[in-house]
């Protein structure tokens, strides 16, 4: 399911109705979109089907305990999870962190502390690295990695810059002058054929290798990735 609002989606998995209700009210007050569940097996199903920003997961649950829910969830998803343990469940804490919990809290806890930890963990996931993709081609500007169908493409700096610019403007025909301006700068004004040369380099590394047409030439206008 896709989140269509800016509100963070939190999944509260807790079988004690008072605690669950309390957490729901607190998080709703903080403008989170809350889903609750008190059963382990049911919670696992919901957690696998829905893209939450964070899950608060109690350990002692009916039908499937929280550790087992987390273990199975982690086979498919990396949704941040904070596990809730009772004061004496040291083993659960260790096991929980071992199998991929992002944090844990011991009951009883101060709600402010839980809110702070949730804010911290949802902040991390709120801004995922922007990956530009077009079919099987993907470009990660932050990591400066380009790949086709999962295979990394070895590009020089200018090749990458050119590809990134075209990907950022995909479906828009970009003129050679504009590409010179964006990728090479004013030193290259008048040398628009440098664009053609670099497009050829990119084609030799992508199109020729994978038998596709990534960069289209639009005669008299420029280049475009669609
Ligand atoms: Ca419980």
């Amino acid at each position: 399911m896709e989140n269509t609002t800016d509100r963070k989606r939190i999944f509260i998995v807790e079988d004690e109705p008072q605690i669950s209700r309390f957490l729901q009210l607190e998080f709703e007050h903080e403008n989170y979109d809350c889903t609750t569940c008190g059963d382990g097996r049911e919670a696992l199903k919901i957690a696998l089907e829905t893209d939450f920003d964070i899950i608060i997961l109690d350990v002692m649950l009916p039908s499937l305990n929280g550790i087992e829910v987390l273990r199975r969830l982690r086979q498919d998803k990396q949704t941040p999870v904070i596990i809730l343990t009772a004061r004496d469940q040291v083993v659960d804490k260790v096991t929980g962190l071992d199998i991929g919990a992002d944090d844990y809290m011991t009951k009883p806890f101060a709600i402010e502390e839980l809110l702070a930890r949730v804010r911290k963990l949802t902040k991390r996931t709120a801004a995922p690295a922007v990956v530009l993709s077009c079919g099987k081609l993907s470009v990660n500007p932050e990591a400066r990695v380009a790949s086709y169908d999962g295979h990394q493409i070895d590009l020089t700096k200018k090749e990458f810059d050119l590809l990134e610019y075209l990907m950022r403007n995909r479906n828009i025909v970009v003129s050679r002058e504009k590409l010179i301006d964006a990728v090479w700068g004013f030193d290259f004004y008048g040398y628009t054929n440098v664009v053609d040369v670099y497009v050829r380099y990119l084609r030799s590394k992508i199109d020729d290798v994978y038998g596709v047409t990534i960069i289209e030439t639009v005669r008299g206008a420029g280049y475009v990735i669609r």
Side-chain angles (χ1 to χ4, degrees):
M1 260 179 268
E2 208 177 331
N3 193 356
T4 51
T5 72
D6 285 341
R7 293 173 74 192
K8 304 261 170 64
R9 303 184 74 171
I10 189 166
F11 187 27
I12 299 162
V13 185
E14 166 64 77
D15 61 316
E16 286 159 72
Q18 281 155 305
I19 298 180
S20 176
R21 183 78 189 131
F22 168 67
L23 290 176
Q24 183 181 356
L25 289 173
E26 289 289 336
F27 280 104
E28 277 174 356
H29 182 70
E30 298 288 317
N31 205 30
Y32 288 82
D33 181 356
C34 298
T35 303
T36 60
C37 183
D39 178 87
R41 206 167 285 279
E42 180 66 20
L44 175 63
K45 187 169 170 284
I46 295 170
L48 287 170
E49 287 171 352
T50 315
D51 287 333
F52 293 106
D53 292 289
I54 190 158
I55 299 171
I56 308 292
L57 181 61
D58 185 34
V59 168
M60 295 296 283
L61 292 169
S63 85
L64 197 63
N65 73 47
I67 296 297
E68 196 53 30
V69 171
L70 176 60
R71 196 183 64 76
R72 297 192 197 176
L73 178 72
R74 278 291 176 263
Q75 293 171 0
D76 275 306
K77 294 187 113 165
Q78 295 305 317
T79 314
V81 170
I82 297 179
I83 54 175
L84 300 180
T85 68
R87 195 195 296 274
D88 51 356
Q89 293 171 316
V90 181
V91 175
D92 288 334
K93 272 183 214 169
V94 176
T95 317
L97 292 174
D98 264 0
I99 60 175
D102 297 83
D103 207 345
Y104 67 85
M105 293 215 66
T106 306
K107 288 197 261 186
F109 50 82
I111 187 67
E112 284 307 328
E113 177 70 21
L114 180 62
L115 290 170
R117 292 186 188 200
V118 165
R119 269 196 296 273
K120 182 167 150 255
L121 284 169
T122 53
K123 199 174 279 174
R124 190 187 68 192
T125 56
V130 178
V131 176
L132 308 166
S133 59
C134 181
K136 291 177 176 175
L137 179 68
S138 70
V139 171
N140 183 331
E142 264 177 64
R144 307 249 338 147
V145 171
S147 62
Y148 189 87
D149 202 12
H151 302 281
Q152 196 169 321
I153 307 161
D154 194 17
L155 300 175
T156 64
K157 184 183 180 302
K158 285 296 176 212
E159 289 165 358
F160 188 93
D161 291 346
L162 176 60
L163 182 63
E164 180 190 340
Y165 191 82
L166 287 168
M167 286 288 275
R168 284 193 188 280
N169 292 281
R170 60 188 175 281
N171 299 319
I172 298 169
V173 179
V174 189
S175 70
R176 289 172 176 78
E177 288 74 18
K178 203 157 197 179
L179 288 169
I180 282 286
D181 192 25
V183 178
W184 283 271
F186 62 86
D187 282 352
F188 281 83
Y189 279 166
Y191 297 92
T192 46
N193 65 335
V194 74
V195 176
D196 304 315
V197 171
Y198 273 80
V199 165
R200 223 160 38 234
Y201 291 158
L202 284 176
R203 283 175 174 159
S204 74
K205 291 182 175 182
I206 307 170
D207 300 34
D208 297 354
V209 175
Y210 299 101
V212 290
T213 302
I214 296 291
I215 304 172
E216 291 175 33
T217 305
V218 181
R219 285 190 66 177
Y223 293 104
V224 62
I225 289 180
R226 296 185 216 267

